């Protein structure tokens, strides 16, 4: 995962939550199969690909030009749009903070083991 956008850890936490939601019960019951792992991949592959596509676009259109000393003279159209329409600014904030597929913990609370 590229460091662009600083979203890799968000994705890693979401991956962990999705994995726990899908794998906790089969692990607890000793019934885990490859199909459970495929379900984790099926759920998380799409948000990973979408996030990496956005990172790649930023890399190719902005970072590469800046590093080559050919900084864009004008801000990208999307930034101008956000400047004109402040109501839209929540969208990139949400994409960075929550991602394209939010995950919520659905596992039962773990019981502490004694000793
Ligand atoms: C240079 C750089 C800078 C970054 N900066 C940021 C940043 O500022 N902010 C941000 O949010 N993200 C950043 N990221 C992205 C972020 O680090 C990753 O997205 C995140 O660490 C992924 O977490 P993960 O748990 O999915 O995988 P990893 O952190 O890669 O953990 C996977 C672990 O599994 C282990 N492993 C692999 N195969 C096996 C195996 N067969 N058996 C046992 N263990 C195995 C590996 O050794 C590793 O410890 C950056 C990435 C890079 C490369």
């Amino acid at each position: 995962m590229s460091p662009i956008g600083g979203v890799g850890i968000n994705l890693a936490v979401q991956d962990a939550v999705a994995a726990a939601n899908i794998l906790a019960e089969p692990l607890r019951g000793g019934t885990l199969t490859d199909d459970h792992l495929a379900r984790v991949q099926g759920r998380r592959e799409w948000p990973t690909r979408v996030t990496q596509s956005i990172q790649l676009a930023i890399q190719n259109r902005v970072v590469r030009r800046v590093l080559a000393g050919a900084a864009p003279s004008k801000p990208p159209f999307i930034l101008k749009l956000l400047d004109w329409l402040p109501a839209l600014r929540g969208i990139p904030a949400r994409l960075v903070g929550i991602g394209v597929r939010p995950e919520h913990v659905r596992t039962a609370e773990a019981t502490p083991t004694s000793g």
Side-chain angles (χ1 to χ4, degrees), residues 5-80:
V7 293
I9 298 299
N10 296 11
L11 234 72
V13 171
Q14 290 160 358
D15 290 347
V17 170
N21 288 343
I22 294 169
L23 303 181
E25 279 308 315
L27 276 171
R28 199 174 281 136
T31 58
L32 186 73
T33 66
D34 285 352
D35 287 346
H36 294 106
L37 302 180
R39 279 181 54 202
V40 176
Q41 181 169 351
R43 179 158 183 89
R44 296 305 304 165
E45 190 167 330
W46 178 77
T48 304
R49 286 185 183 278
V50 171
T51 306
Q52 289 184 325
S53 303
I54 297 169
Q55 290 178 315
L56 198 61
I58 296 171
Q59 168 72 34
N60 289 338
R61 292 178 191 192
V62 181
V63 177
R64 179 173 292 169
R65 289 187 203 174
V66 170
L67 290 179
S73 54
K74 291 188 287 184
F77 174 74
I78 188 82
L79 288 185
K80 287 189 202 162

